[in-house]
């Protein structure tokens, strides 16, 4: 108690208690016995900026925020687990990076589902990591404004960190959906059923022949015209491939005895018409006459039979590429850069819809489509050359970077692009085969004048040239070149033998291609 003068007084009968005064830290240290434990030290209180910084660092180095908050055991465990996983992922990535065949493992339905699940789990794990890191730093000790600010920013950070995993899962789901839309789950009724054997998915074959078709079906046109037809004959062991290009105006093709159309056209397709019976009409004719084919939608089977019989090859599978879907695909990659040698008019009979000017051009999807399809002022063989330019430009300019940055657009366009009878269980083996083809030799043979005439084809000569091209493709590159088969899929093969061709009575169109054009680089200025 104190009196009025401020002097402490003690009531009678009570003793004064001594007042304890704390000594400075230096004095306490001096008076502490040697070897005694030091008093605990506490870090400075965190500011809102520090809380956000340590939380953000935890997204890169899990456990950093826990170590800063004093949770050493938890922090060390998180850092150690993350380091082990990171080193393991890096080692695996380096081991598979140089081998494209590893990509095929991701083409399976189970692998894609595993990637989606894994991406979802990692997204949730990183979300939980950021939240626990933020809570461990004690944001409740911040002022109210600091708590609100850090809470909002950490929420945005969580969304940012989860976005790459969500994008990966969405991209894989898009691919899975596109594969499901393009490749049928049930085998084609016209294709013999084959037991699914992972060890031998191609059922003991040495070669597989794919018919690649470019169709021009559209909303303003009835049916499908197969304006571009190529057969890719692939050696399954090496990936060595021969491309056979057949002109759309090849007349009066024959059908094998096993085909329903053989009885209808024993002397060639629509041989009774003076100018009819073009190869690009077979698909639609079979579709329009199901009573002759024994069922509906037999156009692919009729065309496979006709082309297979023409080349003396068994066509195993086909893939139809819709031309208008291809235009969407060109737009999806941002257009095509092509050197246009001369003005190309398109639309109608006289090119009244538009003109693609000569020069170095970047074509939109519609322009690229008509650049490859227009026949105004030109012939079918000139159009075939332009189509090769479009295909070559697309293959060259659809780089991995472009595909990754425009992945969803490309996958969406691909669903509208293709129709095939390749069953879904062959998707992964098909990717593995595509990797082999990419690394192997590709040769080509085009059945165009003056070596091969479309109006009156020499079927024996076509079959002989086909067999020779396949045999030569299996030889060393130097021997293949001397045999008259080009080492590039873009080059028309030279004559396989010196024979004076029989002059036909009729040829639907002439060949006005430049004689000096050898490859796509020279022909198209790629």
């Amino acid at each position: 108690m104190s009196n009025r003068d401020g002097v402490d007084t003690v009531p009678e009968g009570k003793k004064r208690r001594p007042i304890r005064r704390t000594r400075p830290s230096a004095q306490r240290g001096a008076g502490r016995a040697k070897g005694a434990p030091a008093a605990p030290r506490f870090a400075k209180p965190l500011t809102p900026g520090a809380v956000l910084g340590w939380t953000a660092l935890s997204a890169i180095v899990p456990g950093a925020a826990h170590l800063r908050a004093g949770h050493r055991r938890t922090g060390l465990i998180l850092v150690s687990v993350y380091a082990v996983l990171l080193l393991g992922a890096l080692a695996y990535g380096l081991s598979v990076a140089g081998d494209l065949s590893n990509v095929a493992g991701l083409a399976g339905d189970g692998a894609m589902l595993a990637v989606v699940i894994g991406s979802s789990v990692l997204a949730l794990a990183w979300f939980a990591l950021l939240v626990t890191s933020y809570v461990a730093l004690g944001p409740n000790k911040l002022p109210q404004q600091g708590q609100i600010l850090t809470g909002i920013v950490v929420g945005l950070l969580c969304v940012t960190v989860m976005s790459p995993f969500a994008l990966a899962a969405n991209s894989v789901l898009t691919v899975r959906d596109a594969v499901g839309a393009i490749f049928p789950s049930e085998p084609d009724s016209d294709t013999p059923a084959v037991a699914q054997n992972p060890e031998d998915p191609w059922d003991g074959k040495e070669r597989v022949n794919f018919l690649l078709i470019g169709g021009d079906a559209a909303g303003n046109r009835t049916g499908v015209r197969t304006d571009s037809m190529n057969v890719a004959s692939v050696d399954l062991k090496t990936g060595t491939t021969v491309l056979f290009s057949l002109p759309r105006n090849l007349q009066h093709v024959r059908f094998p005895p096993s085909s329903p159309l053989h009885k209808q056209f024993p002397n060639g397709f629509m041989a009774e018409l003076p100018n009819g019976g073009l190869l690009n009409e077979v698909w639609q004719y079979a579709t329009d006459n199901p009573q002759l084919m024994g069922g509906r939608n037999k156009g692919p089977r009729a065309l496979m039979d006709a082309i297979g019989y023409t080349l003396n090859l068994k066509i195993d599978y086909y893939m139809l590429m819709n031309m208008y879907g291809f235009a969407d695909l060109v737009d999806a990659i941002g257009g095509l850069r092509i050197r246009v040698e001369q003005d190309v008019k398109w639309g109608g009979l006289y090119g009244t819809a538009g003109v693609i000017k000569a020069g170095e051009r970047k074509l939109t999807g519609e322009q690229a489509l008509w650049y490859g399809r227009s026949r105004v002022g030109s012939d079918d063989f000139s159009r075939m050359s332009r189509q090769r330019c479009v295909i070559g430009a697309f293959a060259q300019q659809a780089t991995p970077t472009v595909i990754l940055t425009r992945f969803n657009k490309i996958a969406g366009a691909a669903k509208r692009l293709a129709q095939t009878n390749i069953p879904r269980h062959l998707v992964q083996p098909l990717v593995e085969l595509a990797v082999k083809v990419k690394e192997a030799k590709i040769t080509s043979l085009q059945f165009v004048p003056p070596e091969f005439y479309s109006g009156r084809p020499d079927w024996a000569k076509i079959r002989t040239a086909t067999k020779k091209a396949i045999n030569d493709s299996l030889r060393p590159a130097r021997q293949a070149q001397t045999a008259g088969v080009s080492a590039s899929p873009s080059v028309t093969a030279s004559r396989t033998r010196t024979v004076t061709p029989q002059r036909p009575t009729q040829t639907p169109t002439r060949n006005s291609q430049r004689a000096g054009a050898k490859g796509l680089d020279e022909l198209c200025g790629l």
Side-chain angles (χ1 to χ4, degrees), residues 266-306:
N267 298 318
F269 177 56
M270 298 189 66
E272 67 276 8
L273 299 181
N275 296 314
L278 302 183
L279 181 60
N280 75 327
E281 298 172 348
V282 171
W283 178 304
Q284 191 57 41
Y285 181 87
T287 301
D288 292 340
N289 294 275
Q291 74 282 0
L292 297 178
M293 293 297 300
R296 300 173 59 84
N297 301 320
K298 299 295 184 178
R301 170 49 54 192
L303 188 59
M304 291 168 67
D305 287 342

Side-chain angles (χ1 to χ4, degrees), residues 26-181:
Q27 297 179 6
R28 290 200 308 270
R32 187 174 62 245
K34 187 176 182 180
R41 289 185 173 183
F42 297 96
K44 294 181 180 180
L46 292 174
T47 63
V51 170
L52 292 176
W54 283 101
T55 304
L57 181 61
S58 296
I60 304 173
V61 184
H66 290 79
L67 291 174
R68 175 62 179 82
H71 305 296
R72 297 183 62 186
R73 179 178 298 177
T74 303
L76 290 174
I77 291 175
L78 288 173
V79 171
S80 301
V81 171
Y82 176 70
V84 171
L85 293 177
L86 185 62
L87 290 175
L90 182 61
Y92 176 77
L94 292 175
S95 65
V96 304
D99 190 359
L100 288 175
S101 61
N102 293 295
V103 178
L106 300 176
D109 193 67
M112 288 190 284
L113 186 60
V115 171
V116 172
I117 295 175
S119 299
S120 302
V121 170
L122 289 175
L124 293 175
W126 245 255
F127 173 80
L129 173 67
L130 288 179
V131 171
T132 55
S133 299
Y134 175 65
V135 172
L137 293 169
N140 57 329
K141 298 177 182 179
L142 298 174
Q144 185 177 11
Q145 291 183 347
Q147 294 180 31
I148 296 174
L149 174 64
T150 56
I152 293 174
V153 175
V154 169
L156 294 175
L157 182 62
C158 289
V159 173
T160 302
V161 171
M162 294 174 68
S163 296
F165 300 106
L167 179 62
N170 182 66
S171 298
V172 173
L173 285 175
T174 302
V175 173
R176 194 165 179 259
D177 182 49
V179 169

